[in-house]
Amino acid sequence: MGIKLTEEQKGIIKAFKDTEKLKINAYAGTGKTTTIRALAEVYPRRKFLVLTFNRSIAEELKNKMPPNCMVYTIHGLAYKFLPEQRKKDLVNKKVFVDELIKLLEIDSLTANFYKDVFEAFCNSVYLTVNKENIRKIIFSNYQLKKKFYLTFGIRQFPKPERKFKIEEFIEKLSEVVEYIFFAIAQRQLSITHDFYLKVFQQNLEDLKDFFKRFDAILVDEGQDLNGVQEYVLRHAPIPQKLIVGDRHQSIYSWRGAINTLARLKDWEEKSLTISFRFENNTVVNYANKFLHNWKGDENEIKSEKTGRTNGLKAYITRTNAKLVEILNRLNEPITFSRDLNEIFRSVREAERLLKFYYFGNESLLYGIPGYIKNMANEARKESESVEEFIDYFAAMGEIEYAHALWIAEKYDIGMLYEKAKKLYSPDARTVLTTAHSSKGLEFDRVYFTEDFPDLMKELVSWIESEICELKDFTEEKAKEVIEGIKENKEEYGEIIDEMNLQYVALTRVIKRGEGPGYTKIKANFETKLSVETLMEAVKKELEVRKKYEKSWMEVSKRDDDIDWDKLEGEFEF
């Protein structure tokens, strides 16, 4: 290989020889790919099945792993077993939704939601459709949960009635998903990529001859798997099993990803803690503060400075909308970590949402996700100003759309898009990226924008949304929340994602971090998550609200003391 391995890497390679189930927690920049490549090279007689979820990672590994490794995405492996005659029946998501509308005689909003739930089931660890499994799928995926509440108008029901309505709609969804699955099998509906993935999982036992050719299965990015990938890892009849990743870089539970690395409690665990990325001690120190203060991880990242550099600088934002705003300030060659149209998607949709607010023409909402259309209609009914319209989206947890609406109200989006196209160069040394898209990348210098939130405030807000009213929050509940975060429990996925995202963003820095977001992230990581600090944060939020309510009561009282009859006729226009 020609690469000098650390003692940690050597220990992992040695341990693998006789270990049936091994998980490697590889912290940021610690040479994960180097380790698994070396491991496969040291055992050339063993045949490895390497599984990834992401096609780009699969292509990267195909180029780096030795010949005794067969690399697939999970969908690519499942597609291998799809009968040729059924491959002709594959359709994209839009066509599938249109077919659902016709078959079930439903509107597009409901059809899109049914499609989302069906996809989530097909990507889940569960083999069968039933009420309990559908409930778990919806309530462990907070985007799906949000759509569930909006599609069925759950919040319009009185609180005592909601529990029964939720059960009623869950049962209905279970029946619908089961029917969709049956309809595809009977060719009443076209086949989707998610359908054949589930069929592959259900028929794993019948594929023993394929799996017999492998001595080991290796699953990459173990913190962000889908359920089928986890199921294959656990149940494929292959003698040795290995999973690698960083459990603190799990940031996709909002789209149904599972932190399998954290869930495999009974597997032997090894860690890679020596990082070859960081030339900046501050970044390493704050990364360790995050691990200790927020996640209760006693391991410590150690920097092995190698003079690493790539000459790149980056702007990292929390949202796509903020990326668009950054464009207004720049006049230099730039490149992007994602497709430009995808970056502009939310602000372009926001432009149409604003026009809908001003003019009320529902045709302006064509192509916008159904649950957002529903939200826009409700927001327009309840808002007396554009500011209130935008605040409605923020209050409903749609921060990306709220940011996009403010930016669309402030800037000419078409002009910014044309500017972005003119500035774009594939060879540019300045990169614009969101924190999500920055994962796996690194830059000499990073400017962090101000849209990264205060983590303790985010946690308090999440508690109120998911646990209980703040006035009822107790020390006992605080202990449960902290334990849930440190144990990476699925139901805490939304808030854990937000925490981990800041860790991911910070650890992209090779040499220098700067900007208001950098200051905010460091301040967040300085705070220690404990019962005391959490209870104090809840107390402060309640005091702020009490003060705010008192101010409004005083204003109202002053209004009540005015003799409005006496003032009648005083104002002339």
Side-chain angles (χ1 to χ4, degrees):
M1 243 184 92
I3 296 175
K4 185 179 179 182
L5 300 175
T6 66
E7 291 305 311
E8 285 180 333
Q9 290 170 325
K10 291 176 184 176
I12 287 169
I13 292 169
K14 184 178 179 181
F16 177 76
K17 182 181 180 182
D18 301 311
T19 304
E20 289 184 7
K21 298 176 181 178
L22 178 64
K23 62 178 181 178
I24 302 171
N25 198 52
Y27 296 87
T30 55
K32 175 192 71 172
T33 304
T34 299
T35 305
I36 60 177
R37 184 177 67 190
L39 187 148
E41 288 179 346
V42 168
Y43 301 101
R45 294 179 179 275
R46 299 189 193 185
K47 303 299 180 186
F48 290 80
L49 173 62
V50 182
L51 285 184
T52 75
F53 183 76
N54 184 292
R55 186 182 297 174
S56 63
I57 294 172
E59 290 303 316
E60 179 187 349
L61 288 177
K62 282 178 183 177
N63 293 327
K64 291 183 177 180
M65 298 300 284
N68 57 330
C69 296
M70 190 174 288
V71 182
Y72 286 99
T73 63
I74 187 65
H75 276 87
L77 182 59
Y79 185 78
K80 181 181 176 68
F81 299 98
L82 179 65
E84 286 299 322
Q85 63 269 28
R86 295 297 331 244
K87 290 177 181 177
K88 298 173 185 176
D89 297 335
L90 276 166
V91 294
N92 62 32
K93 294 180 181 182
K94 185 180 183 307
V95 172
F96 187 65
V97 168
D98 289 340
E99 290 184 4
L100 283 179
I101 291 170
K102 290 178 184 176
L103 180 69
L104 302 177
E105 297 180 346
I106 52 177
D107 59 77
S108 61
L109 174 67
T110 307
N112 271 286
F113 178 63
Y114 286 170
K115 181 264 297 177
D116 290 341
V117 178
F118 176 72
E119 284 180 358
F121 164 70
C122 288
N123 282 273
S124 75
V125 73
Y126 307 113
L127 292 174
T128 57
V129 181
N130 59 49
K131 187 176 172 182
E132 187 58 32
N133 290 344
I134 295 298
R135 183 191 291 106
K136 288 177 182 175
I137 287 166
I138 289 173
F139 285 90
S140 64
N141 179 331
Y142 58 90
Q143 283 284 16
L144 211 55
K145 178 183 173 184
K146 192 185 301 180
K147 292 177 183 179
F148 172 74
Y149 271 72
L150 285 167
T151 301
F152 293 116
I154 299 293
R155 297 190 190 282
Q156 73 182 358
F157 298 106
K159 281 189 177 181
E161 195 180 336
R162 284 182 194 174
K163 182 178 179 182
F164 302 103
K165 285 295 178 183
I166 286 172
E167 291 305 304
E168 178 185 321
F169 292 130
I170 289 287
E171 186 164 355
K172 180 181 179 180
L173 273 175
S174 177
E175 292 170 358
V176 168
V177 171
E178 189 170 29
Y179 179 68
I180 292 172
F181 201 86
F182 175 80
I184 296 175
Q186 296 298 310
R187 299 197 174 188
Q188 293 174 270
L189 286 169
S190 298
I191 194 170
T192 68
H193 291 281
D194 301 290
F195 174 80
Y196 71 69
L197 184 65
K198 180 56 68 179
V199 172
F200 165 74
Q201 177 193 8
Q202 291 172 335
N203 290 279
L204 204 66
E205 279 291 312
D206 299 328
L207 304 175
K208 289 179 180 177
D209 288 344
F210 170 77
F211 290 114
K212 278 180 184 176
R213 71 181 73 175
F214 299 104
D215 302 294
I217 181 171
L218 190 163
V219 173
D220 192 20
E221 296 296 327
Q223 74 284 346
D224 283 319
L225 304 188
N226 70 8
V228 177
Q229 206 169 349
E230 178 179 304
Y231 186 91
V232 172
L233 175 67
R234 288 180 182 269
H235 299 285
I238 297 177
Q240 282 190 288
K241 298 181 177 182
L242 173 67
I243 184 172
V244 296
D246 181 349
R247 63 177 177 267
H248 303 301
Q249 291 194 52
S250 174
I251 57 174
Y252 293 115
S253 71
W254 57 272
R255 65 184 189 195
I258 301 171
N259 193 344
T260 300
L261 199 68
R263 284 156 57 103
L264 299 173
K265 303 293 186 183
D266 58 335
W267 286 36
E268 182 172 340
E269 180 173 359
K270 296 287 184 181
S271 295
L272 291 172
T273 63
I274 299 172
S275 179
F276 302 94
R277 174 177 298 159
F278 309 115
E279 299 291 320
N280 183 318
N281 289 332
T282 301
V283 172
V284 179
N285 291 340
Y286 277 94
N288 284 325
K289 284 179 186 291
F290 170 77
L291 298 177
H292 300 162
N293 290 343
W294 286 88
K295 305 303 284 294
D297 190 330
E298 295 306 316
N299 279 328
E300 191 163 284
I301 300 172
K302 298 172 280 293
S303 178
E304 182 75 27
K305 293 186 180 180
T306 60
R308 196 183 191 97
T309 184
N310 61 17
L312 297 176
K313 68 175 180 179
Y315 290 86
I316 297 184
T317 67
R318 173 64 185 82
T319 64
N320 278 315
K322 195 66 179 178
L323 277 186
V324 175
E325 186 177 23
I326 289 290
L327 275 166
N328 189 58
R329 310 180 200 171
L330 299 181
N331 282 295
E332 60 185 287
I334 53 177
T335 189
F336 307 95
S337 62
R338 300 178 71 190
D339 179 74
L340 191 59
N341 288 319
E342 182 60 26
I343 290 171
F344 271 81
R345 180 189 57 78
S346 62
V347 289
R348 280 175 160 170
E349 290 179 357
E351 272 191 312
R352 290 193 281 140
L353 288 168
L354 287 173
K355 287 178 182 176
F356 167 71
Y357 169 75
Y358 287 119
F359 305 114
N361 184 351
E362 291 211 8
S363 67
L364 291 164
L365 302 181
Y366 179 78
I368 289 174
Y371 77 103
I372 295 296
K373 289 181 188 177
N374 197 28
M375 197 179 292
N377 275 297
E378 291 300 316
R380 191 170 187 270
K381 288 176 191 172
E382 297 189 17
S383 303
E384 296 183 4
S385 67
V386 70
E387 290 80 12
E388 288 184 6
F389 181 75
I390 295 171
D391 285 346
Y392 184 93
F393 283 82
M396 294 299 289
E398 285 296 332
I399 304 302
E400 173 77 27
Y401 276 96
H403 284 172
L405 285 161
W406 280 118
I407 289 163
E409 178 74 357
K410 186 176 180 181
Y411 298 105
D412 183 330
I413 301 305
M415 183 190 73
L416 286 178
Y417 182 77
E418 291 304 315
K419 180 180 180 181
K421 288 201 298 184
K422 287 178 182 177
L423 292 178
Y424 171 74
S425 168
D427 301 318
R429 311 306 290 166
T430 299
V431 182
L432 266 62
T433 180
T434 62
H436 279 98
S437 297
S438 73
K439 188 176 177 183
L441 305 177
E442 56 185 40
F443 311 95
D444 278 355
R445 177 182 168 193
V446 177
Y447 181 96
F448 297 88
T449 56
E450 63 272 17
D451 56 337
F452 287 91
D454 180 310
L455 285 182
M456 193 60 82
K457 286 183 179 179
E458 287 291 299
L459 178 54
V460 170
S461 177
W462 179 85
I463 286 168
E464 185 171 43
S465 170
E466 302 297 328
I467 304 296
C468 65
E469 291 186 25
L470 295 185
K471 63 182 179 63
D472 299 324
F473 193 64
T474 62
E475 288 191 2
E476 194 59 38
K477 287 178 180 175
K479 289 176 185 176
E480 289 177 14
V481 167
I482 293 169
E483 181 186 355
I485 290 168
K486 292 180 178 179
E487 291 293 316
N488 285 284
K489 291 184 178 178
E490 279 186 47
E491 59 268 35
Y492 291 81
E494 178 180 2
I495 191 63
I496 292 173
D497 275 7
E498 196 63 52
M499 295 172 183
N500 288 351
L501 190 61
Q502 295 196 10
Y503 168 73
V504 168
L506 178 74
T507 53
R508 301 310 96 197
V509 178
I510 298 174
K511 293 182 177 180
R512 179 180 171 187
E514 56 190 293
Y518 186 57
T519 302
K520 196 178 289 185
I521 290 170
K522 290 192 295 181
N524 283 334
F525 292 177
E526 283 277 10
T527 304
K528 183 174 178 60
L529 177 60
S530 65
V531 172
E532 293 73 26
T533 56
L534 184 51
M535 293 302 296
E536 181 63 25
V538 169
K539 180 182 174 184
K540 281 183 180 178
E541 178 60 25
L542 288 171
E543 287 173 352
V544 167
R545 292 183 188 183
K546 188 175 180 180
K547 188 175 180 181
Y548 182 77
E549 288 170 7
K550 184 179 178 183
S551 298
W552 269 108
M553 286 175 65
E554 289 174 356
V555 170
S556 299
K557 186 177 183 304
R558 287 198 295 271
D559 286 350
D560 291 341
D561 290 341
I562 294 173
D563 187 342
W564 294 101
D565 291 332
K566 186 178 179 181
L567 288 176
E568 190 175 349
E570 295 272 332
F571 300 99
E572 294 182 2
F573 298 95

